[in-house]
Amino acid sequence: MPSLSGQWRSLADAADRDALAARAAVEFPQLAAALQAPTERRRVLRLMAAAMTLAGLGGCDDGEPGGVLIPPVRPAPATVTRSDSYYATASVLSGYATGVLVRHDVGRPIKVEGNPTHPASLGATDAIAQAEILGFYDPDRQAPIALDGVPQDWQTLQSALAAQREQLVRTHGKGLRVLTGTVTSPTIARQIGELRQRYPEMRWHRWEPVSRDAARAGALLAYGKPVEIVPDLGTADVILAIDSDLLESAPGHVRFARDVASRRNPTRTAQMNRIYAVEPTPTLVGVAADHRFIAGPRALQDATVALAEAVLTGATPSGGPPWLGPVAADLQAHKGRAFIHIGPQQPAELHALVHAANEALGGRGSTYRLIEPVEADPVDQAASLRELATDIDEGQVETLIVIDSNPVFAAPATLGLAEAVRRVPFSLAVTMEPNETSRVTRWALPQLHPYEDWSDTRAFDGTVTIQQPQAQPLFEGISAHRLLGMLLEFDAVGSLEQVQQTWRDTKADWHEALSSGLIAGTVANVSDAKLRPESARLVPPALPEQQTTLLFRPDPHLWDGRFANNAWLQELPRPLTKLTWDNPLLISPEIGRRLQVGNGDHVLVNIGKAELELPVWIMPGQARDCVVGLFGFGRNVVGRVGEGAGYNLYQLTGYAGEPLLRKGKGGVRLASTEHHDPLLATNADFARHGNLAHFQQEPRFLADDEATPSLYRYPPPGPAAWGMSIDLNSCIGCNACVVACMAENNIPVVGRDEVLREREMHWLRIDRYYEGSADDPNVVFQPVLCMHCEQAPCEVVCPVGATVHDREGLNVMVYNRCIGTRFCSNNCPYKVRRFNFYAFSRNEHRPAVARNPEVTVRGRGVMEKCTFCLQRIAAARITADIENRPVGGNEVRTACQAACPTQAFTFGNMAQSEADVLARKQSPLSYALLSDQNTRPRVTYEARIVNPNPALGARQA
Ligand code: SF4
Ligand code: SF4
């Protein structure tokens, strides 16, 4: 018999007529009487429904419940309490660190954020750091310890290493070779030092597929000893970037992007900087530049020599391209406030010349500083690898230890390393996931992920971060520290002890170092190296006159190929081509015309003994005499995601001479998103931009007209009003925000075929617009996400009310209501809605534990789109409720906002006067995308302003 207390334990319980009658007798006497009377069924049901409704309303009317609620001291079994926390570590790319904080939710790593106190991060990250969380959960990392492909146990490995140790002690390490990438870790450096002491005949080889040898050698030529350069771009009024990787991959690039962007918006800075870029193929700094000059390899070399000469002598350049004189004059007019950066692909002599020019411009100590090398024992890495290959060929290598490197895949084809490594009697590779090198070494050891182990690493300025593990190892593995220790002794201590040993005798405060993510006072010493006078006279060997030069660059997302099994990075549209899952040869429009090929058509490339047939992509703004191959694709042994995607361009490396290009047969469809989600409007000026001079005369020349008074009445404002402003002056198109949004919001990847069907799921995309001719276009990036329109066209066409407006201005998706008509997407002028054609998340290559538990995983047939990171808003609301105050104006940071290196996004609660976003929306540059649609979006933009040199006339690119 149910109780009469007003509580019920199940629907069946509540439906019991007697119980209901008894309850009604207490609460609603008339209803009880009616229930006692004999009635027909429909009337009973009607009355029951009314009773339920009244009971609910009665509850509302009762005011606050009396008494004090007391939570259980011990939660009920199986209750999972939310407890997010952050642990500092670092994201390391080719040896150099960017400090990050990893967010844990219910005890597992969920999301990467930048570390605000770390000099290389300042709170932001790049796309690769954001995607590292997916790499951590990658099931393809799971691999056994293996000898000749046969799984082995730990004891067998220890015995084998013990036998090697005995032999090495006898021979003083003769025949021992250790191969690593660039090392900045003080602990690895210390351990290798100890190895060298024990085995004086051993050799340590260092090699990275994406070489910085020219930068190293250039510094050596200029200063006579190894030094590194640390730009301070916030102080530079004029920046010249020569084939530069400053904003995309140079050590410190996340920081540099912040510094450059801090001087780009004339409403936020007293003086805009001016950027010139000279380059053979478009880069991010080239897109950000006020003047971009296209120069093929030979022209670029000549121009750099002439420019350096002009800066060094103060003379006006004679000859050369017409921009040379004005650029040299501008640099000279800003002595002490100018800086020249040259990319690592340019020869060492040009680096030395640029060092000399920078010294002449007086920027040392203001726009840049020279420091002692951050990397341990720098060497010429190409020579180091060649030496290893030669020694193997000559039978001098008995023991080869490869640590987290993949030379069999990425070394120049001419070295023939795959065959060479097979001939080494004892070869061992420790790698994060099975790869081409561990496939041919005798021993293959799985390596612990950086989130599973202790280590230390240094940033571009030398700052040390202790990398602390974020979780227990997901899979069996060994760390580099342990392995190096085991080359010395049987009972080698683990990584924690190794790292602590390095820092034990220093003043470093261990706890402070772990909690802050850096060790104070570890910035590299400023170098007192003096410029060698002869460096100002260095000229690189003249490049041969040739119709076509083959250049190589790392893929912006897969880098040298080490991230090829990361689906987020594979499917992330490349900043300029918007290509996913592929790396066609980038050719200039001119070469496309000459060969009569278009995007996706095959060409045959011959260079030296190598021949490769691959598709092409016509890259607007690329020099007419060069083609560019991107590394990172074409992996054979990497895991289920990356295997077979794209082409291995390393096959073409190591050969000198001119490549022969011929039109091939047929072609392929390339999965580029550049034509997806087009905006349609008559005033097709989506990404607005203009000149500083025009802005100074008429600041509002790009802003929206005053809003026309509306006859409609809008709902009263709620307790908060969420809004966003995106600064097109800042956005460099780096894609960090896109991956951050994927990680935060459980956005699935769909695979190459579905991208070809325009079904990619990114909630945030970076539109890239070209203007002008394909040979020399202007480029503008524009991040586009759900605009959260106050007059949302999607809401009025949804037949089931699945997309609705809330009182805080959010355009909300109710997934459970969505029946998949897609009318909303049809009616959205911004094309930001994404439809789950299949259960994409179910087919994904990531385990459920890798998802953000705060966000729903959407099923098949459901529409989804940006929520302004509603879960973050909800968390702030709860905190504010507990503290009995409104949510602050700047309290919520969306995932995209937090990740952005240039702080392009400003988000907040516009109901609070301190909200930064209010100020941004007052900017004279503020405008709404497709404002003529009268959708009243909560997302607005600040138009882009460029600062061209009046001596060069209108903006060149
Ligand atoms: Fe994605 Fe949140 Fe940014 Fe929207 S606000 S695009 S959901 S990260
Ligand atoms: Fe990079 Fe996105 Fe910021 Fe643009 S808005 S700079 S693409 S993170």
Side-chain angles (χ1 to χ4, degrees), residues 702-776:
L702 292 166
D704 280 332
D705 295 335
E706 291 299 321
T708 321
S710 174
L711 295 177
Y712 292 102
R713 275 185 302 172
Y714 296 104
W722 300 105
M724 179 180 271
S725 171
I726 303 175
D727 188 355
L728 300 186
N729 294 288
S730 297
C731 179
I732 55 166
C734 72
N735 274 329
C737 54
V738 180
V739 192
C741 180
M742 295 185 79
E744 173 75 17
N745 293 298
N746 296 330
I747 295 171
V749 294
V750 300
R752 185 179 187 279
D753 291 348
E754 294 299 315
V755 175
L756 283 169
R757 296 188 184 101
E758 306 191 19
R759 291 175 179 172
E760 69 277 5
M761 296 298 290
H762 302 128
W763 289 2
L764 165 61
R765 64 174 196 264
I766 310 296
D767 283 346
R768 179 266 294 123
Y769 291 104
Y770 286 122
E771 287 174 353
S773 80
D775 290 308
D776 187 4

Side-chain angles (χ1 to χ4, degrees), residues 800 802 813-819 856 862:
V800 292
M813 267 306 300
V814 187
Y815 300 129
N816 285 347
R817 287 187 194 162
C818 179
I819 54 170
T856 318
V862 171

Side-chain angles (χ1 to χ4, degrees), residues 337 386 432 491 529 566 601 621 644 658 768 791 799 856:
R337 311 282 294 172
R386 273 198 309 274
M432 210 77 73
D491 273 334
N566 192 308
D601 289 346
E658 180 167 4
R768 179 266 294 123
Q791 295 292 300
T856 318

Side-chain angles (χ1 to χ4, degrees), residues 4 208 237 457 489 510 534 536 573 701 706 759:
L4 295 178
E208 291 282 341
D237 293 343
T457 178
E489 55 197 343
W510 182 256
E534 58 268 36
F701 78 114
E706 291 299 321
R759 291 175 179 172

Side-chain angles (χ1 to χ4, degrees), residues 222-247:
Y223 292 101
K225 60 181 188 178
V227 286
E228 291 187 30
I229 193 161
V230 175
D232 183 357
L233 299 173
T235 59
D237 293 343
V238 179
I239 299 167
L240 169 61
I242 303 169
D243 193 14
S244 167
D245 59 347
L246 204 50
L247 300 187

Side-chain angles (χ1 to χ4, degrees), residues 470-730:
Q470 305 294 321
Q472 293 285 342
L474 295 183
F475 310 112
E476 185 185 31
I478 184 172
S479 69
H481 300 297
R482 188 79 187 270
L483 178 65
L484 289 170
M486 288 169 71
L487 290 174
L488 282 172
E489 55 197 343
F490 181 80
D491 273 334
V493 294
S495 304
L496 173 60
E497 291 80 0
Q498 293 284 9
V499 175
Q500 283 181 327
Q501 195 179 327
T502 306
W503 297 99
R504 188 168 299 142
D505 298 330
T506 67
K507 290 190 188 138
D509 178 333
W510 182 256
H511 286 95
E512 173 60 24
L514 294 193
S515 67
S516 67
L518 51 91
I519 302 182
T522 47
V523 172
N525 291 333
V526 171
S527 170
D528 58 1
K530 300 268 178 305
L531 184 79
R532 296 162 80 204
E534 58 268 36
S535 61
R537 294 188 293 276
L538 288 169
V539 177
L543 289 173
E545 192 86 62
Q546 54 190 46
Q547 194 179 23
T548 312
T549 305
L550 176 54
L551 305 175
F552 296 100
R553 297 287 184 271
D555 180 75
H557 301 152
L558 306 190
W559 191 237
D560 53 18
R562 70 185 71 180
F563 304 114
N565 212 44
N566 192 308
W568 291 351
L569 294 175
Q570 284 274 7
E571 196 159 297
L572 188 60
R574 272 57 189 169
L576 285 145
T577 60
K578 299 291 159 193
L579 280 161
T580 63
W581 297 98
D582 233 324
N583 63 332
L585 189 71
L586 307 180
I587 64 173
S588 62
E590 164 71 18
I591 294 178
R593 287 191 287 269
R594 198 172 76 221
L595 295 178
Q596 297 192 326
V597 290
N599 289 345
D601 289 346
H602 279 143
V603 295
L604 281 160
V605 185
N606 282 83
I607 185 162
K609 290 184 187 157
E611 179 177 83
L612 194 61
E613 185 174 55
L614 69 171
V616 295
W617 185 266
I618 294 177
M619 177 63 112
Q622 183 161 299
R624 52 179 50 211
D625 58 351
C626 67
V627 295
V628 176
L630 297 177
F631 295 143
F633 288 84
R635 298 283 307 270
N636 296 323
V637 187
V638 67
R640 284 164 285 175
V641 171
E643 270 169 26
Y647 303 82
N648 178 4
L649 270 292
Y650 289 113
Q651 295 173 63
L652 303 179
T653 58
Y655 299 102
E658 180 167 4
L660 179 64
L661 255 62
R662 282 169 296 146
K663 187 171 178 175
K665 286 204 183 90
V668 292
R669 280 183 69 208
L670 294 169
S672 168
T673 64
E674 68 171 359
H675 58 284
H676 299 183
D677 311 306
L679 307 191
L680 301 174
T682 44
N683 64 342
D685 196 6
F686 306 124
R688 299 185 190 177
H689 58 90
N691 275 347
L692 182 62
H694 198 164
F695 170 79
Q696 283 164 340
Q697 279 168 10
E698 192 188 342
R700 293 190 57 82
F701 78 114
L702 292 166
D704 280 332
D705 295 335
E706 291 299 321
T708 321
S710 174
L711 295 177
Y712 292 102
R713 275 185 302 172
Y714 296 104
W722 300 105
M724 179 180 271
S725 171
I726 303 175
D727 188 355
L728 300 186
N729 294 288
S730 297

